[in-house]
Amino acid sequence: MNQPGESLRDRKKRRTRAALERATVRLAAERGYDHVTVEEIAAEADVSVRTFFNYFASKDEALIGADPEAGPRMAERILAASDEVTPFEAYRQSVLAEITDELNNARDLWLLRKEVLMQRPDLLVRAFANSAESERLLANAVGRRAGLPESDLYPRLLVAAGSAAFRCAVTRWALDDSVALGDLVGDALELFGTGLAHVPPHHHEGGS
Amino acid sequence: MNQPGESLRDRKKRRTRAALERATVRLAAERGYDHVTVEEIAAEADVSVRTFFNYFASKDEALIGADPEAGPRMAERILAASDEVTPFEAYRQSVLAEITDELNNARDLWLLRKEVLMQRPDLLVRAFANSAESERLLANAVGRRAGLPESDLYPRLLVAAGSAAFRCAVTRWALDDSVALGDLVGDALELFGTGLAHVPPHHHEGGS
DNA sequence: GGATTGTTTTGCAGTCACTGCAACTTTGCA
DNA sequence: TGCAAAGTTGCAGTGACTGCAAAACAATCC
């Protein structure tokens, strides 16, 4: 009864984690992030407070619900990409793939998160603080791929640009979601790719 | 006795604020950020705990000690810049001026902060969450300067790139400070300006 | 100088996030 | 069925942070 797929235990864990994430987002959207206590979240998900903290290191983390395996997965993809493509391209595709996946699996959650993030934009920034480890991982992957020394700024910058792109895209998307979030991230990365020195002519825009 | 320069009151406030900032950084560098309580910091600065929180909204904020007027000041400079220069250039110069100033006035503090940030890189990220308001201000300034609509991604991206540049530069600098922090930020902004699509040939490096 | 007014500091009581630890329960496996 | 590993829970404790109302202080007016 130990299929490599998933044991009962694993399934339960996944469900509990998801329930906590959902509860956090739902309640926060409903009555405002800091009018919701962890106690209420835990109750909603039918576990103890202590269990909440076994799954998430902080309330912030639960709200964003960042997949701890996203970092390693992306690093993997970057290193696995064909040598034909530039490190930038490899990174870009890795990011977009991850985001597309995420949005397909949890579009409804993101719509709720949007409400919360509109009230408290700082939460999005803080969320990235938790993934400092993932950032280091990705930067290393990019650095190795580009054959650069540890001390080079480029890999770090590229990864930071990715975070920034995502962050800005979400902020913009929260303002008006007539353009898909994935496309906005794509646009943002495009701009970082070609450089910010000159104001770009135009991007998407609703339709003018 | 009310010189527009500075009243007794103002002087005292500045001194208290500075003392709290110094105490926070010094103690954190000495025994690690979370082995220092706000109570100890307040004691070191000779004020009550409650007063600490009158000056800083959080321990994080005190560690970074971001000047609340830096945002408005930079926005000012961006809008005041000659029409000859691109918005990017205006922003770049505004950032570099601010950072140069800061480093000239508090180089010693930054050397201590470095110790703390090497242990806990996430604190630097979190620090920027507090300046979400300043970011909005700057983005608006850039947007107006570039004649772009509210919804355009570019201004937000440029400002986010600035944060990222600073963040990465500090991280790199903490690793090896043989290159001046100001120069590293300059390099980073340069890269954002010309685009990340291709791996740059080389930057500073110790001396080759 | 002394009364008056506006500001800052402080103590206090309270809430809530988060942690370590030691039972207790559930699941995986023989 | 019985044992070991993994997961859950309660509990006690720490420490960041807030609101409030009183005390100390600085600027101003007479």
Side-chain angles (χ1 to χ4, degrees), chain B residues 114-188:
Chain B
K114 195 177 77 166
E115 302 303 317
V116 184
L117 296 175
M118 272 169 55
Q119 307 294 321
R120 304 251 338 236
D122 59 301
L123 289 177
L124 193 49
V125 185
R126 291 168 60 154
F128 280 102
N130 297 328
S131 53
E133 187 50 30
S134 287
E135 280 212 10
R136 249 198 50 252
L137 209 69
L138 288 181
N140 282 344
V142 171
R144 187 154 0 135
R145 193 102 197 348
L148 290 171
E150 188 75 18
S151 70
D152 200 285
L153 264 180
Y154 180 78
R156 270 186 278 270
L157 272 185
L158 182 47
V159 175
S163 295
F166 182 67
R167 200 157 64 70
C168 293
V170 171
T171 310
R172 160 67 173 75
W173 179 71
L175 207 68
D176 152 29
D177 60 1
S178 68
V179 182
L181 179 51
D183 291 348
L184 287 171
V185 177
D187 286 1

Side-chain angles (χ1 to χ4, degrees), chain B residues 59-129:
Chain B
K59 205 171 131 189
D60 288 11
E61 213 179 293
L63 181 74
I64 303 299
D67 182 350
E69 294 175 17
R73 204 159 45 220
M74 292 171 72
E76 200 76 16
R77 271 204 220 105
I78 291 172
L79 291 171
S82 144
D83 278 351
E84 305 287 309
V85 301
T86 59
F88 176 81
E89 202 47 45
Y91 175 71
R92 194 230 308 249
Q93 302 202 351
S94 161
V95 168
L96 287 179
E98 193 65 33
I99 288 180
T100 306
D101 257 34
E102 168 68 12
L103 287 183
N104 282 340
N105 292 336
R107 183 161 284 142
D108 55 331
L109 267 188
W110 275 102
L111 286 170
L112 285 177
R113 266 194 264 265
K114 195 177 77 166
E115 302 303 317
V116 184
L117 296 175
M118 272 169 55
Q119 307 294 321
R120 304 251 338 236
D122 59 301
L123 289 177
L124 193 49
V125 185
R126 291 168 60 154
F128 280 102

